[in-house]
């Protein structure tokens, strides 16, 4: 099944503190966002990539897309102040189709098999997210004191991609805008309309590069993959 993917890349990377968009930092000599886009470029089920960018990065992104021959990038869309606005701007340009994926450019280690399982699920259920079981014990606290230990067996750490029937994601984004709701992921916009969302188990390698130490984890993941194969 052919899907389209929106890739938000219009952030500033403030927590990375690199003085530029963290997506332009290199891993193994290749910019982070190129690693991410290559996965979709090489996935035959991916039809088109719609990339949301900050206009100040436009020239450098265009240059790199050409240099790395990323043919599936159908268009660049201007991002917004928040991630949600960047995705909404992109969503407004999407033609009809069955399934749309949203995937953060800052997660370069996504694997094709996870995308396939996620997409298949969204096709039948309407909405699906990738997540991994939480490993740490999670507690709530207030004023420096524990108030509650949460049962870990029902907790999932949520990643991207998230996949949706296009009509559902459109409705969710429009309602969120009308009602001034700002969510931390795409699924939360869909959940508030009471659509069921399936959870698909992904893998722990699919980290988001957020703070400087994540670059060391990223190197380790790349080394693991080159020494024992891309499993
Ligand atoms: N993003 C976006 N538009 C924004 C903010 C974020 O398209 N206004 C994108 C980022 O480029 C990234 C993804 O959303 O690929 C996840 O965001 P995050 O990890 O928070 O990246 P940044 O916002 O760039 O980082 P920070 O919050 O540290 O500034
Ligand atoms: Mg951010």
């Amino acid at each position: 099944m052919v899907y389209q993917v929106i890739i938000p890349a219009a952030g500033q990377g403030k927590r990375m503190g690199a003085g530029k968009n963290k997506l332009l930092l290199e891993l193994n000599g290749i910019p982070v966002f190129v690693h991410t886009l290559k996965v979709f470029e090489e996935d035959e089920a991916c039809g088109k990539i719609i990339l949301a960018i900050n206009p100040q990065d436009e020239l450098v992104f265009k240059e790199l897309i050409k240099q790395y021959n990323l043919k599936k990038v159908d268009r660049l869309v201007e991002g917004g102040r928040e991630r949600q606005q960047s995705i909404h701007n992109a969503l407004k340009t999407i033609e009809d189709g069955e399934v749309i994926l949203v995937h953060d450019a800052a997660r370069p280690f996504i694997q094709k098999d996870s995308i396939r399982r996620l997409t298949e699920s969204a096709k039948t259920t309407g909405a699906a997210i990738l997540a991994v079981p939480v490993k740490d014990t999670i507690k709530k606290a207030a004023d420096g004191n524990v108030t509650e230990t949460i049962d870990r067996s029902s907790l999932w750490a949520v990643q991207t991609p998230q996949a949706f029937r296009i009509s559902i994601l459109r409705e969710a984004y429009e309602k969120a805008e009308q009602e001034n709701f700002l969510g931390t992921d795409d699924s939360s916009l869909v959940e508030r309309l009471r659509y069921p969302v399936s959870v698909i188990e992904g893998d722990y390698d699919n980290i988001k590069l957020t703070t400087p130490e994540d670059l060391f984890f990223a190197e380790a993941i790349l080394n693991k993959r080159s020494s024992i194969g891309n499993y």
Side-chain angles (χ1 to χ4, degrees):
M1 189 212 28
V2 175
Y3 64 83
Q4 302 176 68
V5 60
I6 292 173
I7 301 195
Q12 312 241 337
K14 287 200 183 123
R15 286 169 288 175
M16 188 60 78
K20 62 174 176 182
N21 190 339
K22 63 187 177 183
L23 303 173
L24 298 170
L25 296 175
E26 293 185 355
L27 296 172
N28 270 2
I30 297 175
V32 168
F33 89 93
V34 175
H35 281 274
T36 310
L37 263 60
K38 269 173 170 275
V39 179
F40 292 96
E41 193 71 30
E42 288 161 13
D43 181 5
E44 55 284 356
C46 176
K48 283 178 184 167
I49 298 169
I50 298 92
L51 194 63
I53 58 153
N54 186 317
Q56 79 189 18
D57 293 333
E58 185 173 349
L59 286 181
V60 56
F61 269 82
K62 278 189 171 160
E63 196 51 48
L64 289 164
I65 287 165
K66 211 159 81 189
Q67 183 184 334
Y68 287 95
N69 201 21
L70 300 166
K71 293 209 185 71
K72 287 189 187 168
V73 179
D74 189 64
R75 54 197 180 272
L76 303 181
V77 173
E78 187 170 333
R81 219 167 61 85
E82 302 287 342
R83 176 186 182 277
Q84 188 172 315
Q85 289 156 350
S86 297
I87 293 163
H88 201 183
N89 289 351
L91 193 55
K92 284 174 184 161
T93 73
I94 296 290
E95 308 124 41
D96 282 335
E98 206 172 356
V99 169
I100 184 89
L101 264 64
V102 180
H103 181 64
D104 288 334
R107 288 189 194 267
F109 302 115
I110 181 62
Q111 307 220 50
K112 229 167 88 169
D113 180 62
S114 297
I115 299 173
R116 187 188 54 73
R117 289 183 294 114
L118 180 81
T119 312
E120 287 304 319
S121 171
K123 194 179 154 192
T124 46
T125 64
I129 61 175
L130 213 56
V132 286
V134 165
K135 295 189 212 177
D136 295 320
T137 295
I138 309 278
K139 295 183 194 285
K140 275 192 174 175
D143 304 323
N145 291 307
V146 171
T147 55
E148 193 185 343
T149 300
I150 300 168
D151 175 17
R152 192 175 56 195
S153 65
S154 63
L155 293 180
W156 291 82
V158 169
Q159 307 173 338
T160 67
Q162 301 189 344
F164 308 91
R165 211 169 282 147
I166 292 180
S167 55
I168 291 179
L169 194 64
R170 271 211 192 100
E171 182 190 352
Y173 264 83
E174 264 147 45
K175 280 263 164 59
E177 185 175 61
Q178 283 162 16
E179 295 163 12
N180 279 321
F181 176 82
L182 199 60
T184 54
D185 72 347
D186 309 287
S187 175
S188 58
L189 276 52
V190 168
E191 291 156 34
R192 62 195 288 277
L193 303 189
R194 307 228 174 274
Y195 285 108
V197 178
S198 325
V199 177
I200 302 296
E201 186 160 354
D203 68 80
Y204 289 102
D205 280 3
N206 185 24
I207 60 168
K208 182 160 75 70
L209 304 184
T210 306
T211 53
E213 57 271 23
D214 292 332
L215 299 175
F216 292 98
F217 297 132
E219 293 281 327
I221 292 168
L222 286 172
N223 287 340
K224 180 183 78 168
R225 289 187 178 181
S226 65
S227 63
I228 54 178
N230 191 354
Y231 68 91

